[in-house]
Amino acid sequence: MGPPHDGPWLDDAAGRLIRPYTVSGGRTRPTAQLDLLSQVRTTGTVPAGYLGPEHTLALDLCEAPTSVAEIAAQLKLPAVVTKVILSDLVDCGAITTRAPDFYHNPTDRSLLEAVLDGLRRQL
């Protein structure tokens, strides 16, 4: 499978051919409570009806537990648009969510250094 937005949705010279909020039908508020660190995963339920190509791509990314932030990055969409898409999938029973574990202090220096080290290794 190629990059998420090849084909008619992306032009090499112009970039994205549709505005991100068009993908969510102009909606800016998700119906499900989602944090950037929330984990989402498919349930095996097939959504009834057509949801759109971004919904299908998001669903494919949720085969294993994946954070909302990671899905937004893979879809190359703003986080709020991704949350609306994922909310649609939650509403139809196609994915389930789990709130982030906050047993770690998100401003803990050692945690932030570990994240920075991991990012540096990716570059």
Side-chain angles (χ1 to χ4, degrees):
M1 185 164 118
H5 294 294
D6 57 359
W9 302 107
L10 186 67
D11 180 87
D12 290 335
R16 192 172 177 81
L17 298 177
I18 59 169
R19 293 278 191 212
Y21 292 96
T22 304
V23 172
S24 65
R27 294 173 293 146
T28 59
R29 295 190 192 274
T31 56
Q33 185 73 4
L34 294 168
D35 185 273
L36 286 176
L37 299 176
S38 295
Q39 298 288 305
V40 294
R41 184 175 188 157
T42 57
T43 61
T45 300
V46 177
Y50 178 76
L51 290 175
E54 282 80 6
H55 290 82
T56 302
L57 292 170
L59 197 55
D60 289 344
L61 294 169
C62 297
E63 289 294 321
T66 309
S67 72
V68 172
E70 178 65 22
I71 293 169
Q74 292 291 325
L75 294 177
K76 296 182 177 145
L77 289 172
V80 69
V81 174
T82 301
K83 287 179 182 182
V84 171
I85 290 169
L86 293 174
S87 290
D88 293 344
L89 294 171
V90 168
D91 292 345
C92 71
I95 64 171
T96 186
T97 67
R98 190 182 85 204
D101 295 328
F102 284 115
Y103 61 87
H104 292 292
N105 177 359
T107 59
D108 177 44
R109 183 178 178 94
S110 62
L111 175 63
L112 294 173
E113 287 174 352
V115 169
L116 183 59
D117 289 342
L119 290 171
R120 284 182 180 145
R121 277 184 258 142
Q122 293 294 321
L123 299 174

